[in-house]
Amino acid sequence: HHSGRTLAMTSFIVIPARLHSTRLPEKLLLAETGKPLIQHTYESAQRATRPKGIIVAADHQSIAEAVQQFGGTVVMTDPEAPSGTDRVAEVALQLSDADIIVNVQGDEPDISAEAIDMVVELLEQNADAVMSTLGTPIRCKTQLEDPACVKVVFDHQQRAMYFSRSVIPHARNWDERLLEAEPAHFHQHIGLYAYRRDFLLSLTQLPQSEVEKLESLEQLRVLSHGYTILVGIIQEPSIGIDTPEDYEAFVRMQRNR
């Protein structure tokens, strides 16, 4: 339940930054706009009002140098860390005064300040949840059916019920008008996360669950172990940069601003 008063908590943004990416080599250092991609993400994250600071969790010296060049804060993390979450947890370990850690993906240069503030506020308002994330309405059938587009279903208290690459909820009788419903029936999961620091530090110790392995979705580990994830809804899909086409589109957008 939402209690009337909101506890202001200390939050930090941590941006896990890997040098090597599969589909777009060294994408965080691409700088056709005059700034490396990681800087665009950092500057977008800086507009959020809730968090106290931002730290990039780098796995490679070249990322660290790029961040230092634009005056950002960077911490070197274990190059062998199995996931971005482990990298974020490694930094969180050092942030003993933080209550909440926000994990912003390094390849989300258009992440909005409102989105970041929303995940923090969700945890400030709801003591039962250990983690929060976001969803945005899906209005297109191709996207709904695309396994790369992760879907989320949540209950009346904004608690995630399931995340899947499959179509959820699955309409027994399909009708195109279902895509136009207000509020929306279908939501894409946006991979921005806020965690309570103590939970994040224990998360990396939790055993993987079978559904997590099957779907290859880390957030299912949290639900599988019975924890609550809150889902805030935003109207703008923040698009990560995964392919050369994504990056070209981003560069074009920047030039037109």
Side-chain angles (χ1 to χ4, degrees):
H1 65 281
H2 293 259
S3 63
R5 52 189 282 274
T6 296
L7 285 170
M9 295 182 176
T10 303
S11 56
F12 281 89
I13 294 170
V14 180
I15 304 176
R18 277 178 66 238
L19 179 64
H20 297 295
S21 40
T22 354
R23 286 179 287 179
L24 186 55
E26 304 196 1
K27 64 181 173 185
L28 296 184
L29 299 179
L30 294 175
E32 277 178 47
T33 61
K35 294 176 181 179
L37 186 59
I38 185 73
Q39 182 175 355
H40 284 289
T41 303
Y42 197 99
E43 288 175 355
S44 291
Q46 269 180 320
R47 294 198 284 266
T49 59
R50 286 293 207 228
K52 193 170 161 182
I54 307 178
I55 298 161
V56 174
D59 74 334
H60 198 280
Q61 203 50 49
S62 57
I63 298 261
E65 282 162 17
V67 175
Q68 281 156 352
Q69 268 168 359
F70 68 76
T73 310
V74 63
V75 170
M76 289 301 292
T77 54
D78 181 3
E80 301 301 307
S83 74
T85 311
D86 293 279
R87 220 173 282 298
V88 174
E90 204 178 319
V91 174
L93 201 55
Q94 304 170 30
L95 297 170
S96 52
D97 64 331
D99 302 303
I100 293 171
I101 304 289
V102 184
N103 177 346
V104 172
Q105 307 299 331
D107 62 358
E108 298 252 344
D110 289 323
I111 190 80
S112 73
E114 294 74 27
I116 293 170
D117 287 336
M118 184 184 282
V119 288
V120 173
E121 283 160 14
L122 281 167
L123 289 185
E124 287 179 336
Q125 290 161 7
N126 192 322
D128 302 327
V130 293
M131 196 168 149
S132 60
T133 190
L134 296 174
T136 193
I138 294 174
R139 300 294 183 193
C140 144
K141 192 165 190 235
T142 324
Q143 193 188 3
L144 181 64
E145 292 174 345
D146 180 0
C149 166
V150 178
K151 275 69 69 173
V152 60
V153 172
F154 47 89
D155 70 13
H156 293 288
Q157 291 178 23
Q158 289 182 277
R159 298 175 299 200
M161 292 158 67
Y162 194 55
F163 296 88
S164 185
R165 297 183 180 282
S166 187
V167 176
I168 54 168
H170 195 115
R172 186 174 177 191
N173 300 306
W174 179 254
D175 182 325
E176 290 297 323
R177 282 172 304 190
L178 291 172
L179 288 163
E180 293 156 31
E182 270 317 331
H185 289 307
F186 310 103
H187 291 90
Q188 175 182 1
H189 175 227
I190 291 175
L192 171 73
Y193 296 105
Y195 315 85
R196 295 197 195 283
R197 176 178 177 267
D198 49 1
F199 175 73
L200 172 59
L201 298 180
S202 64
L203 171 60
T204 50
Q205 310 305 311
L206 280 180
Q208 277 195 309
S209 70
E210 291 306 311
V211 285
E212 171 193 0
K213 290 183 207 164
L214 287 170
E215 294 245 22
S216 187
L217 297 174
E218 221 176 67
Q219 61 274 33
L220 288 174
R221 182 182 318 177
V222 178
L223 293 184
S224 299
H225 286 279
Y227 293 100
T228 299
I229 303 177
L230 296 173
V231 184
I233 298 307
I234 57 170
Q235 294 304 318
E236 14 120 34
S238 84
I239 302 298
I241 311 274
D242 286 319
T243 63
E245 295 72 38
D246 293 344
Y247 186 67
E248 280 162 31
F250 172 69
V251 173
R252 276 197 304 276
M253 290 276 294
Q254 287 293 310
R255 293 204 177 120
N256 295 335
R257 276 176 188 166

